[in-house]
Amino acid sequence: MVWQAELDELRQREALAREMGGADKVKRQHDGGRLTVRERVQALVDPGSFHETGAIAGKARYDAANRLEEFTPPTASSAAPPSMAGRWW
């Protein structure tokens, strides 16, 4: 597939964004008695009704071979309206 490398990079960006800045950042939230933003959203909305967009639009750094080396997700992204208790918002 001609676009496979680009699709793979997008999936890698998504995976890095889901890491929320790394285990140390997530631990800091939990140590402070807080949930991460994704954990808070998951607790509020109905399962499967939340779809985040924009998470792959952060800042990327590439190596000399133009491979994704590091990715910093945006501080905010948008989402399609989720449902809560069966009602769409």
Side-chain angles (χ1 to χ4, degrees):
M1 182 175 192
V2 176
W3 292 95
Q4 192 59 52
E6 287 81 2
L7 292 172
D8 291 344
E9 180 183 325
L10 292 175
R11 299 302 160 246
Q12 186 179 4
R13 282 180 177 228
E14 285 177 331
L16 292 170
R18 280 192 299 273
E19 290 180 5
M20 306 284 301
D24 58 323
K25 303 291 190 305
V26 173
K27 183 180 181 325
R28 187 173 74 191
Q29 289 280 16
H30 292 165
D31 288 349
R34 297 179 302 271
L35 299 174
T36 67
V37 67
R38 285 185 178 89
E39 291 168 336
R40 291 191 301 266
V41 168
Q42 287 175 351
L44 287 172
V45 302
D46 295 335
S49 70
F50 179 76
H51 178 73
E52 181 179 8
T53 60
I56 61 174
K59 184 177 178 182
R61 188 173 74 205
Y62 297 87
D63 64 14
N66 204 31
R67 290 183 301 256
L68 183 63
E69 189 173 79
E70 182 179 308
F71 177 71
T72 304
T75 55
S77 60
S78 62
S83 68
M84 291 188 248
R87 295 179 57 194
W88 291 94
W89 298 90

